[in-house]
Amino acid sequence: MTRKPPPRRLSPHKSSTAGDVTIKDIARHLGLSHATVSRALNDHPATNELTKARVREAALALGYVRNAGAEMMRGASSRLVGLIIPDIQNEFFSAVAKGLAQRCAGQGLHLVLAVSEDDPELERTHVMALREARVAGFVISPSQGCKDATKALLAGLPTVKLIRDVSGLAGGFVGIDDRSGAYAATRHLLALGHTRIAFVGGPEAISTAKDRLAGYLQALTESGVPRDPSYIYLGPPRPGFGEIATAHIMSMTPRPTAVLLGSARLALGAFLALRRMEVPLPGQLSVLSYGDEEGASLGGVTAMALPVADIVNALAEQLFSLIQGKDAQPTSATFPPALLVRSSTGPAPA
């Protein structure tokens, strides 16, 4: 009778690279077939849990690393999820990235972050690179000039749009009810007796900025307050524009008694200008920020708190459902922000 060779013993401190350890090495080490080890590593339902545990323990001890490149050559998707956002310094986007990364980890997926800077060509390049990496799905906050080539690259892939929407880009959507949020913010200022209320927001080509402007205008119209185009400032959603717009507001005659800042990044620039000009709040100007970034509460800033947790959960649930392909269809979900009243808003001056 032919004697079966003893299991090969490999040291977990093997001097070669981890990539040298293969499924065949694990199979020889455990005295199992290559097919059994492969099924165990892929969590095949036909393999019993004891065998799966033995294989995983051996794979960890031997330093086995899954060959994702070989799997992708066979047409399989990777365990990566692409997240494309316009601005990593924006605390809302960074908070969503952190929460989504945690949810992905719980599903054995890994989040890959790309920043578009609202540049349509850079955005297309990121999508192409992530497509080449065969990501399992995408979450994207598209630029206002999102290219047709980008839309074509995303077509047919599990995709969820984050807070922004553009025509022709297919997929699910998870966002903020920005119109009602800006409406509530403006109503708060109106209730304090303000009728000269300025608005500083992003360009109308961005869906979120357009909706926030619409909510502001709706509140004015319903209250019988005439719209004054000179009180409306639209531009890049960056601190620099917020600073410039606020300086203009403070130089106007008659000057607005309140301002709604359409994003937390715009608010950051606005407060730089107000601090430089030593404007007392809310004595000379009531200020409300659409976005409650870290430190706003310490500074006493009245703000609309964005529903980050709700958005992360809805993003994750829809994305995982689309990736798993369980008869899932893209859906749309929006969540309202919450008004947090602090000391930066007060009654209008007599």
Side-chain angles (χ1 to χ4, degrees), residues 6-278:
R8 176 177 155 197
R9 304 196 177 277
L10 299 179
S11 166
H13 305 290
K14 189 181 176 189
S15 60
S16 60
T17 63
D20 290 335
V21 178
T22 67
I23 289 178
K24 290 182 179 179
D25 292 324
I26 299 173
R28 283 194 293 268
H29 179 69
L30 295 174
L32 300 173
S33 70
H34 178 281
T36 298
V37 173
S38 179
R39 286 194 295 268
L41 289 172
N42 286 289
D43 201 23
H44 195 284
T47 305
N48 68 63
E49 294 301 320
L50 180 60
T51 300
K52 289 179 184 178
R54 287 184 61 213
V55 169
R56 289 167 185 158
E57 183 179 356
L60 182 63
L62 298 174
Y64 169 75
V65 176
R66 183 184 294 272
N67 190 340
E71 291 179 356
M72 289 188 287
M73 289 179 66
R74 294 194 293 270
S77 296
S78 72
R79 295 175 180 269
L80 306 177
V81 167
L83 171 63
I84 302 177
I85 57 176
D87 182 7
I88 191 59
Q89 292 181 301
N90 183 310
E91 286 192 18
F92 169 78
F93 286 120
S94 59
V96 169
K98 179 180 179 181
L100 188 58
Q102 292 171 340
R103 291 296 304 272
C104 284
Q107 296 289 318
L109 298 167
H110 307 281
L111 192 70
V112 179
L113 176 65
V115 181
S116 71
E117 296 290 348
D118 270 327
D119 180 339
E121 177 56 27
L122 181 58
E123 180 178 65
R124 184 201 64 80
T125 302
H126 287 322
V127 172
M128 175 64 81
L130 291 166
R131 277 293 309 263
E132 290 172 353
R134 295 186 184 273
V135 293
F138 281 92
V139 172
I140 181 170
S141 188
S143 66
Q144 62 193 78
C146 184
K147 294 192 167 189
D148 289 341
T150 302
K151 298 170 187 176
L153 287 169
L154 291 170
L157 292 175
T159 302
V160 184
K161 292 166 284 187
L162 168 61
I163 76 169
R164 294 180 180 179
D165 203 356
V166 294
S167 176
L169 179 57
F173 176 80
V174 176
I176 302 166
D177 189 348
D178 285 306
R179 182 166 185 145
S180 71
Y183 175 86
T186 308
R187 292 287 300 181
H188 168 69
L189 297 171
L190 289 164
L192 291 171
H194 296 278
T195 55
R196 299 199 304 273
I197 303 172
F199 178 83
V200 181
E204 287 189 85
I206 298 177
S207 61
T208 52
K210 180 180 180 180
D211 289 343
R212 291 170 193 179
L213 174 61
Y216 158 81
L217 293 174
Q218 180 185 352
L220 293 182
T221 300
E222 290 184 4
S223 298
V225 175
R227 302 180 182 186
D228 188 339
S230 67
Y231 286 175
I232 299 174
Y233 296 80
L234 305 179
R238 298 287 187 268
F241 178 70
E243 185 173 3
I244 292 170
T246 303
H248 277 287
I249 288 168
M250 296 307 298
S251 68
M252 295 180 70
T253 304
R255 189 168 62 196
T257 60
V259 59
L260 171 57
L261 300 161
S263 76
R265 297 288 284 161
L266 290 169
L268 175 60
F271 280 106
L272 289 175
L274 294 171
R275 188 175 298 115
R276 184 178 65 250
M277 293 184 287
E278 299 182 346

Side-chain angles (χ1 to χ4, degrees), residues 294-320:
E294 186 176 350
S297 60
L298 296 177
V301 180
T302 297
M304 300 302 296
L306 306 185
V308 174
D310 291 331
I311 285 175
V312 168
N313 289 334
L315 275 176
E317 294 303 322
Q318 184 167 179
L319 181 65
F320 299 157

